[in-house]
Amino acid sequence: MGDSQYSFSLTTFSPSGKLVQIEHALTAVGSGQTSLGIKAANGVVIATEKKLPSILVDETSVQKIQSLTPNIGVVYSGMGPDSRVLVRKSRKQAEQYYRLYKEPIPVTQLVRETATVMQEFTQSGGVRPFGVSLLVAGFDDKGPQLYQVDPSGSYFSWKASAMGKNVSNAKTFLEKRYTEDMELDDAVHTAILTLKEGFEGQISGKNIEIGVIGNDKIFRVLTASEVEDYLQEVE
Amino acid sequence: MSIFEYNGSAIVAMVGKNCFAIASDRRLGVQLQTIATDFQKIYRIHDKLFIGLAGLATDAQTLHQRLVFRHKLYKLREERDMKPETFASLVSAIQYEKRFGPYFCQPVIAGLGDDDKPFICTMDSIGAKELAKDFVVAGTASESLYGACESMYRPDMEAEELFETISQALISSIDRDCLSGWGGHVYLVTPTEVTERVLKGRMD
């Protein structure tokens, strides 16, 4: 299957010990639209810019933040189509877990399985690594959790994190603003302020997307008007 | 002669007040011949989860080994013990995998779930779960056991009283069944301790 010249792994080690394709994948992530997540004491918020290529695009048809299970949501920075593949696989894995155990999948398990998929694409023939980093927000028996998964397949738990274009400014801003006992509403405000920091143009409910999960353990994406309300509170 | 009656078995589990008891007979036979009188049919998965396997002994042992394997991996990955309800779903799935060439076992699962709430269930050899609030039975003596439990059981019994009740129900049922017997094995589980006792009945 496939031309024999191409059936080797694109992720072969360089002499310096790096996997160059993964480095390039991280670059693709770094030039993607900014996204961030904040873990509050009673929930998690994830947010992203939603800059569309033209004003003619119907922004209501575009949804970057998606749910993997009723209590786990995800946002990405990087290549949108790659994230759709991961979302699809993760949803399937979550359902398989439920079918076997009749118990909703714990956040850590889903993150681990998604990361395993991403790692497989760095060690197989004829494929390339995913050009996305994911921020997974969930609420289960262990409480609110926020994980980042990279194209290499490594994953980290964060109190607050950012990815994409404006990552260093955003992280500095978050480091200053984050407190351990933040409530979910404060976290949403902080998320908006962080996005505003590097935002080119006028921020509104139509060009950012925010997803939250609280003590009710139900992940949902805020509507444009709810985002507008938060934006006005922040002004 | 049914394959389920080849080795002979009797298993019963009962719910008490914040505790449960699970009991089995001790006979291993090959049809009419008795081979062992100390055969274990109830296995511990963890301190708050026990499974008794009635039916063909070889399938019971293999199924038990597979379940221990799965639980050990689960514990390593998830860093917690399996809840009884989750375990029951797992057993059901494993049995249904073999829908057209099943394990000839009827499991009885008993455990303490969240907040130490007692949980019992049984299922047929292809994984059809049956949850119960009071008692579940399995094995060649199951019909006698149903009758004995139905008349002797009362809800919310304390641990010692539950032990007496389940012991009486087990002994009187296996005494009437030629394929199960040679005493009984009773596990009494509360949130703080697990007590294992051996009963003496008609040794035949």
Side-chain angles (χ1 to χ4, degrees):
Chain A
M1 166 166 145
D3 201 317
S4 62
Q5 278 184 310
Y6 292 97
S7 54
F8 58 85
S9 173
L10 291 170
T11 42
T12 36
F13 279 106
S14 71
S16 60
K18 288 194 201 149
L19 288 163
V20 187
Q21 278 299 302
I22 295 180
E23 303 288 321
H24 293 336
L26 287 164
T27 314
V29 169
S31 51
Q33 290 181 8
T34 313
S35 61
L36 56 96
I38 303 177
K39 182 170 71 172
N42 59 342
V44 193
V45 58
I46 47 178
T48 181
E49 293 178 356
K50 194 164 71 169
K51 289 260 184 60
L52 298 165
S54 148
I55 54 165
L56 293 174
V57 175
D58 179 3
E59 73 275 351
T60 56
S61 72
V62 178
Q63 196 176 42
K64 290 179 72 176
I65 299 184
Q66 298 189 290
S67 66
L68 299 178
T69 71
N71 66 326
I72 304 176
V74 68
V75 72
Y76 70 91
S77 276
M79 300 166 69
D82 282 10
S83 87
R84 280 205 300 276
V85 170
L86 286 168
V87 164
R88 202 180 161 85
K89 284 189 201 258
S90 303
R91 283 175 175 167
K92 193 170 180 189
Q93 276 159 343
E95 279 307 311
Q96 279 170 344
Y97 184 100
Y98 185 80
R99 189 163 175 261
L100 185 58
Y101 296 114
K102 296 285 183 298
E103 207 187 279
I105 190 169
V107 182
T108 35
Q109 301 302 312
L110 186 57
V111 167
R112 179 186 287 141
E113 298 207 20
T114 309
T116 306
V117 168
M118 291 170 89
Q119 193 281 337
E120 277 163 8
F121 279 69
T122 68
Q123 212 176 10
S124 310
V127 297
R128 61 162 175 81
F130 287 96
V132 282
S133 277
L134 302 173
L135 270 175
V136 181
F139 203 127
D140 62 11
D141 292 335
K142 291 205 188 106
Q145 289 162 80
L146 178 67
Y147 283 91
Q148 176 176 345
V149 195
D150 278 343
S152 58
S154 38
Y155 59 92
F156 320 89
S157 177
W158 291 91
K159 298 175 195 170
S161 181
M163 326 181 293
K165 265 195 227 116
N166 205 25
V167 61
S168 44
N169 286 343
K171 278 199 178 166
T172 321
F173 190 88
L174 284 170
E175 272 169 29
K176 290 203 197 96
R177 287 285 185 128
Y178 183 81
T179 61
E180 295 279 336
D181 51 3
M182 224 178 208
E183 296 261 318
L184 189 55
D185 273 343
D186 303 326
V188 177
H189 291 140
T190 309
I192 291 176
L193 287 168
T194 317
L195 276 179
K196 248 180 140 188
E197 279 287 296
F199 204 89
E200 290 157 18
Q202 178 68 2
I203 198 170
S204 83
K206 291 201 187 129
N207 50 24
I208 62 170
E209 217 173 275
I210 301 182
V212 291
I213 180 163
N215 279 325
D216 59 357
K217 294 193 195 170
I218 297 183
F219 181 83
R220 58 185 202 90
V221 181
L222 301 180
T223 62
S225 50
E226 282 171 316
V227 176
E228 287 287 350
D229 291 340
Y230 274 108
L231 277 168
Q232 286 183 357
E233 282 170 31
V234 159
E235 295 293 335
Chain B
M1 191 272 311
S2 157
I3 186 72
F4 291 99
E5 289 161 19
Y6 189 76
N7 293 125
S9 50
I11 319 256
V12 57
M14 274 193 193
V15 167
K17 197 170 162 88
N18 300 326
C19 63
F20 70 85
I22 182 167
S24 73
D25 72 314
R26 306 184 79 206
R27 178 180 178 271
L28 173 72
V30 171
Q31 293 185 286
L32 56 101
Q33 186 186 20
T34 300
I35 305 291
T37 58
D38 57 359
F39 191 69
Q40 193 188 12
K41 296 173 199 184
I42 296 177
Y43 302 98
R44 172 192 165 277
I45 303 293
H46 61 78
D47 275 341
K48 292 184 181 176
L49 180 57
F50 285 76
I51 180 166
L53 291 163
L56 195 62
T58 177
D59 283 357
Q61 285 181 325
T62 304
L63 187 56
H64 158 64
Q65 286 163 6
R66 278 193 71 184
L67 292 169
V68 162
F69 173 89
R70 294 298 294 261
H71 182 255
K72 281 188 191 170
L73 279 179
Y74 181 96
K75 208 171 159 170
L76 282 168
R77 272 196 221 111
E78 307 224 2
E79 291 170 4
R80 59 181 176 137
D81 282 325
M82 236 191 243
K83 287 193 262 208
E85 298 87 347
T86 313
F87 185 72
S89 298
L90 175 66
V91 178
S92 174
I94 286 179
Q95 288 189 297
Y96 196 83
E97 264 172 25
K98 303 255 184 249
R99 171 67 177 76
F100 299 109
Y103 289 115
F104 296 112
C105 288
Q106 202 183 350
V108 167
I109 294 163
L112 294 173
D114 283 338
D115 300 323
D116 291 328
K117 189 165 178 295
F119 170 88
I120 53 170
C121 89
T122 185
M123 56 193 83
D124 67 7
S125 56
I126 45 177
K129 264 189 281 185
E130 191 202 308
L131 308 173
K133 292 198 181 66
D134 39 18
F135 56 84
V136 288
V137 303
T140 49
S142 59
E143 275 154 12
S144 297
L145 279 165
Y146 272 125
C149 290
E150 196 66 58
S151 47
M152 294 187 204
Y153 180 83
R154 272 172 310 106
D156 286 329
M157 283 183 276
E158 294 288 343
E160 282 310 308
E161 205 193 338
L162 184 68
F163 168 73
E164 288 298 328
T165 310
I166 200 175
S167 304
Q168 291 292 353
L170 181 74
I171 294 295
S172 56
S173 304
I174 63 182
D175 281 353
R176 273 289 180 185
D177 177 25
C178 50
L179 295 171
S180 44
W182 287 95
H185 224 121
V186 185
Y187 290 84
L188 186 60
V189 181
T190 66
T192 45
E193 59 168 3
V194 172
T195 330
E196 187 185 329
R197 278 178 262 221
V198 174
L199 304 172
K200 191 158 188 271
R202 274 181 68 114
M203 301 309 247
D204 67 356

